[in-house]
């Protein structure tokens, strides 16, 4: 089974800050890595697919990069509505443990 | 606009069978994979399994013996059953649709879920 690790597990940043989350796969997964945002009480929302492609309707301040085993998710300018938990995901049961993002 | 609407019993006793259904409104039912994903309280996401319109299934090996996913294409619905539930099965259960069906060397829409149901909290308690 492919295991996904994320860091940090949580972070606090100010509005307007650049926020970066990393995800590492236990095996090479090409660019098949997705990022989701989940707000409390809501279903996850796909933001990035295939490591770097922005899902339709997602603001351009969200971006992703990486391939192989190491991936990065970035919010270029943190907004109050970005408060959420972010998950990386490969296939089947390969969801990362999540990164909780708060406003400082 | 694609919408997934799910329903099922929210309170079960240990050893009972969990049963949820997800109806798909708008868009095609074929050409995608339909998945069930759950989230225990205050925990992360766990993929349970998937099915396509032809009825081809893949399950999470850790739950495979207890999970069954079925499809009713005449109603654009798919369903989840989990047998012999315990308190560890307490979770919010989501149905979800993949972005597509097939993967290539550069893209894998099968494994990205861009439409989700509203979630159903299932509590297992005696």
């Amino acid at each position: 089974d492919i295991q996904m690790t994320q860091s940090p597990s949580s972070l606090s940043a100010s509005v307007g800050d650049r926020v970066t989350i990393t995800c590492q796969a236990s095996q090479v997964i090409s660019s098949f890595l997705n990022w989701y945002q989940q707000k409390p009480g809501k279903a996850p929302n796909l933001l990035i697919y295939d490591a770097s492609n922005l899902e339709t309707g997602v603001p351009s301040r969200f971006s992703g990069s990486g391939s192989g085993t190491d991936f990065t998710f970035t919010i270029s300018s943190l907004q109050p509505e970005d408060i959420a938990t972010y998950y990386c995901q490969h296939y089947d049961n390969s969801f990362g443990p999540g990164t909780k993002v708060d406003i400082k | 606009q694609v919408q997934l609407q799910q329903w099922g019993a929210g309170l079960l006793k240990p050893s009972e069978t969990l049963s949820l259904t997800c109806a798909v409104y708008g868009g095609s039912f074929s050409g995608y994979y339909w998945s069930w994903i759950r989230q225990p309280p205050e925990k992360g996401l766990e993929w349970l399994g998937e099915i396509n319109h032809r009825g081809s299934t893949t399950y999470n090996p850790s739950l495979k013996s207890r999970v069954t996913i079925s499809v009713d294409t005449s109603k654009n619905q798919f369903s989840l059953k989990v047998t012999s539930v315990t308190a560890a099965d307490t979770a919010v259960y989501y149905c979800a649709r993949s972005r597509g069906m097939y993967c290539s060397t550069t893209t894998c829409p099968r494994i990205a879920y861009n439409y989700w149901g509203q979630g159903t909290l299932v509590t297992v308690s005696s």
Side-chain angles (χ1 to χ4, degrees), chain B residues 12-18 66 82-87 89 93 124:
Chain B
L12 296 173
K13 291 181 167 49
S15 79
E16 292 185 335
T17 296
L18 180 158
R66 297 196 295 127
V82 181
T83 60
S84 304
V85 296
T86 69
D89 295 307
Y93 286 75
V124 181

Side-chain angles (χ1 to χ4, degrees), chain A residues 1-5 23-29 68-71 90 94:
Chain A
D1 286 1
I2 297 175
Q3 306 298 318
M4 312 299 293
T5 56
C23 178
Q24 187 170 57
S26 59
Q27 302 174 35
V28 171
I29 59 170
T69 60
D70 296 306
F71 301 87
H90 173 56
S94 298

Side-chain angles (χ1 to χ4, degrees), chain B residues 25-94:
Chain B
Y25 301 99
S28 172
F29 196 74
S30 62
Y32 302 98
Y33 273 90
W34 306 91
S35 291
W36 288 97
I37 295 159
R38 71 180 182 181
Q39 185 171 36
E42 305 303 319
K43 293 189 178 180
L45 299 160
E46 180 181 34
W47 180 84
L48 303 180
E50 66 182 4
I51 192 167
N52 64 19
H53 67 283
R54 301 188 193 102
S56 175
T57 54
T58 306
Y59 297 114
N60 183 332
S62 68
L63 291 155
K64 185 175 181 179
S65 61
R66 297 196 295 127
V67 171
T68 302
I69 298 175
S70 58
V71 65
D72 185 341
T73 54
S74 67
K75 295 181 180 179
N76 279 11
Q77 294 177 1
F78 63 109
S79 298
L80 169 73
K81 290 190 187 300
V82 181
T83 60
S84 304
V85 296
T86 69
D89 295 307
T90 294
V92 175
Y93 286 75
Y94 295 102

Side-chain angles (χ1 to χ4, degrees), chain A residues 14-82:
Chain A
S14 300
V15 173
D17 281 356
R18 184 181 185 87
V19 168
T20 298
I21 299 168
T22 62
C23 178
Q24 187 170 57
S26 59
Q27 302 174 35
V28 171
I29 59 170
S30 185
S31 60
F32 300 154
L33 190 283
N34 310 307
W35 291 95
Y36 298 83
Q37 175 193 66
Q38 187 179 31
K39 297 183 179 180
K42 300 293 187 181
N45 181 40
L46 178 66
L47 300 180
I48 303 287
Y49 63 92
D50 293 337
S52 61
N53 294 292
L54 200 64
E55 176 68 0
T56 303
V58 174
S60 59
R61 65 180 180 274
F62 297 103
S63 65
S65 64
S67 67
T69 60
D70 296 306
F71 301 87
T72 300
F73 172 81
T74 299
I75 307 174
S76 61
S77 177
L78 186 68
Q79 300 301 304
E81 60 266 32
D82 300 335

